[in-house]
Amino acid sequence: MPRTKTFDPEWALTKAMEVFRARGYGSTHMGKIAEHIGVSRSSLYATFGDKRTLFLSGLRRDAQAYRTEGMPDLGTSAAPRKAIIDLFESTFVEGGGATPPAGILLIRAALELVPNDPEVSALVQDEVAVLEQNIRRGIERAQTVGEIDSDVDAAQAAWALLGLFLGTHLLLRSKPVLHAAARQVEALLPPPQESRRRGPGPVSPRPPKLSSE
């Protein structure tokens, strides 16, 4: 008779993701995960398979949770410009519990696995595209209600903000960087009167796609 598992797989997956977020993929070993969860390595392998399978399971789950629960719908916000700025002023509060797990794991995946793993690359591309589209809809909504100057190129600004959003994940523990990020958002999304005084700002180039080659 097979041995009955003594832990809940969903809870164990949550605990495993804590290790991946803290250490990254390459520095995380199944033994360390098993130790963190408090189970044997054999039980971990029997439940989830190898490390890559475990990581992908957690990445997919956390990304879906962020889409449905953690990501504000900027395109329907009553105050869209503020909602976009709040992504940087509240999402990255150290120790505040608001940092989206998917964001950290996507960055880890992009840095460590995307160049050599087409499956991870496709997942990262999908989630990044969803975030970029959400930011763009928020900018367009803010332009419609008169919160952001109509001269701002919504697509270009969304790409610039996406890069800032993802890049800030790499510097989460640097509070001066977090404050600077919020100021960058405000500068990229000027209200109409400020934009007219200053004239048009520089256009940010579209960043290259992550490649699996």
Side-chain angles (χ1 to χ4, degrees):
M1 173 180 286
R3 183 179 176 182
T4 302
K5 296 183 179 64
T6 58
F7 61 90
D8 173 49
E10 282 298 308
W11 172 82
L13 185 57
T14 298
K15 301 298 288 183
M17 292 305 100
E18 292 174 357
V19 183
F20 280 122
R21 284 195 290 273
R23 299 171 61 90
Y25 182 84
S27 298
T28 297
H29 305 287
M30 292 293 270
K32 177 62 69 174
I33 295 173
E35 178 183 343
H36 183 70
I37 296 173
V39 300
S40 67
R41 279 193 294 180
S42 60
S43 294
L44 202 59
Y45 279 111
T47 302
F48 296 107
D50 59 17
K51 183 176 78 167
R52 178 181 176 277
T53 302
L54 172 60
F55 179 80
L56 280 173
S57 296
L59 184 60
R60 291 192 184 98
R61 189 195 65 176
D62 284 359
Q64 181 60 34
Y66 183 45
R67 284 195 191 196
T68 58
E69 301 171 14
M71 183 189 298
D73 186 351
L74 301 175
T76 60
S77 174
R81 184 176 183 271
K82 182 179 184 301
I84 296 170
I85 294 171
D86 282 348
L87 281 177
F88 295 83
E89 291 189 331
S90 62
T91 298
F92 297 108
V93 174
E94 183 180 2
T99 301
I104 296 175
L105 289 179
L106 284 170
I107 287 294
R108 297 284 193 189
L111 290 176
E112 299 186 60
L113 296 180
V114 165
N116 303 306
D117 195 317
E119 189 174 1
V120 175
S121 177
L123 178 58
V124 170
Q125 290 286 358
D126 287 346
E127 294 305 315
V128 166
V130 168
L131 180 56
E132 181 272 331
Q133 291 164 11
N134 189 31
I135 295 173
R136 177 174 50 79
R137 288 195 302 269
I139 294 171
E140 292 170 347
R141 163 77 175 159
Q143 289 174 319
T144 299
V145 300
E147 291 184 350
I148 294 176
D149 194 278
S150 59
D151 288 340
V152 171
D153 186 311
Q156 292 286 352
W159 272 108
L161 291 175
L162 175 66
L164 184 62
F165 183 87
L166 297 178
T168 305
H169 270 300
L170 300 176
L171 300 167
L172 277 175
R173 296 188 182 279
S174 176
K175 291 185 178 180
V177 170
L178 304 188
H179 296 313
R183 289 196 294 271
Q184 289 280 346
V185 178
E186 294 177 346
L188 284 166
L189 304 178
Q193 63 275 18
E194 291 187 13
S195 180
R196 292 195 186 98
R197 284 201 302 267
R198 283 203 303 259
V203 176
S204 300
R206 186 184 181 90
K209 288 185 66 177
L210 296 169
S211 173
S212 61
E213 299 179 354

